[in-house]
Amino acid sequence: MNIVCLDMEGVLVPEIWIAFAEASGIPELRRTTRDEPDYDKLMTWRLGILKEHGLGLKEIQATIAKIDPLPGAKAFLDELRSTTQVIILSDTFEEFAKPLMEKLGWPTIFCNSLEVAESGEITGYKMRCQQSKLTTVKALQSIGYDTIASGDSFNDLGMIQASKAGFLFKSTEQIKKDYPQIPAYEEFDDLLAAIKAAL
C-alpha cells in the first residue's frame, strides 16, 4: 500500500514568506528552508522581524489570499489523487494553509500551528512533532504504508531519503549538487511519471 507525501511551498504553491517579503517590502523575509536548514532558528528570526515592523497574522493572510497554486499544480494533484493516496506534509501553519488548500481542492495536509495574541501579533508557533516530515513518514511506514516523497528544501531530505522512492522537485542547484543520488525534476508531468513508475 502506497502513500505519496508532498511538500507544499515551492512544490505546489509559491513560497509564502517570499510573497510576503515582496508585499511588505522587507527583503530579509525572503529567507526560507532552502537557505536555512534549522527551522527553529529561521522561525525565531522571522518572528523577530515581524515584531520589529509591527506586522502580524492579518497582514500575512492578506498576502496569502492573493497567492495561487503554481501553474499545473492542481491538475497534477488531481491526477495523483485519482491514482493513490496523497498527504501534504508541510512546515507551514494551519492559519496560512487553509485558503491554499481550498484552491487545490482540499487535499489532506499535516502542518503546524501559530500562537497568535488578540492583537494579531504572532507570538510563537507549535510544531506538530519534532522533524515533522520524517517522523510522519516513519509513522506511516509503521502502519503498513510504503511512502513516496517529494520536496524542494533541506527539511524535505529526511522524508525523501527514508521513503521507498523520493524526488527533488524545483529544488536549488546547491541541494541538487549536494544530493546527486536523488532524482530531480522541474516539471509536474515528469514528477507524475516518476511517482507513477514507483507505485
Side-chain angles (χ1 to χ4, degrees):
M1 285 171 45
N2 294 295
I3 194 160
V4 175
C5 301
L6 298 174
D7 177 36
M8 181 181 83
E9 291 180 71
V11 173
L12 298 171
V13 303
E15 293 279 354
I16 290 168
W17 287 98
I18 290 176
F20 187 62
E22 288 166 6
S24 64
I26 305 171
E28 304 96 297
L29 287 174
R30 291 182 63 86
R31 196 166 174 76
T32 70
T33 50
R34 289 173 165 213
D35 313 298
E36 174 54 69
D38 185 331
Y39 191 71
D40 188 58
K41 185 175 165 187
L42 179 64
M43 274 307 298
T44 302
W45 182 77
R46 285 169 170 168
L47 296 185
I49 291 175
L50 293 178
K51 190 176 178 69
E52 186 187 318
H53 290 272
L55 297 167
L57 181 60
K58 181 167 59 81
E59 290 80 10
I60 299 174
Q61 285 178 329
T63 295
I64 293 169
K66 298 174 190 157
I67 294 175
D68 285 321
L70 293 171
K74 185 171 186 304
F76 160 77
L77 202 52
D78 288 346
E79 173 68 21
L80 194 54
R81 289 167 73 198
S82 74
T83 310
T84 188
Q85 297 294 310
V86 179
I87 297 177
I88 297 170
L89 300 183
S90 176
D91 279 339
T92 193
F93 306 97
E94 293 170 356
E95 296 81 357
F96 290 2
K98 193 173 178 186
L100 298 167
M101 293 304 98
E102 183 175 10
K103 289 177 181 178
L104 286 169
W106 298 113
T108 299
I109 182 169
F110 291 179
C111 60
N112 305 307
S113 59
L114 291 169
E115 293 165 356
V116 185
E118 281 187 27
S119 64
E121 180 191 344
I122 301 170
T123 56
Y125 61 96
K126 191 168 186 297
M127 299 297 281
R128 190 169 49 78
C129 57
Q130 286 301 310
Q131 291 187 289
S132 60
K133 298 180 184 190
L134 175 59
T135 303
T136 303
V137 157
K138 286 184 170 174
L140 289 166
Q141 291 167 351
S142 78
I143 56 170
Y145 283 101
D146 286 322
T147 58
I148 297 167
S150 183
D152 68 325
S153 296
F154 285 109
N155 64 340
D156 299 311
L157 293 169
M159 72 169 180
I160 288 171
Q161 291 171 314
S163 292
K164 173 177 88 165
F167 311 103
L168 290 168
F169 187 66
K170 297 184 183 292
S171 191
T172 65
E173 290 308 315
Q174 189 60 53
I175 292 174
K176 287 189 279 191
K177 190 173 149 202
D178 290 347
Y179 295 88
Q181 72 278 21
I182 303 175
Y185 300 102
E186 299 297 320
E187 302 297 331
F188 284 115
D189 286 350
D190 296 334
L191 179 60
L192 184 64
I195 292 172
K196 284 185 171 181
L199 288 171

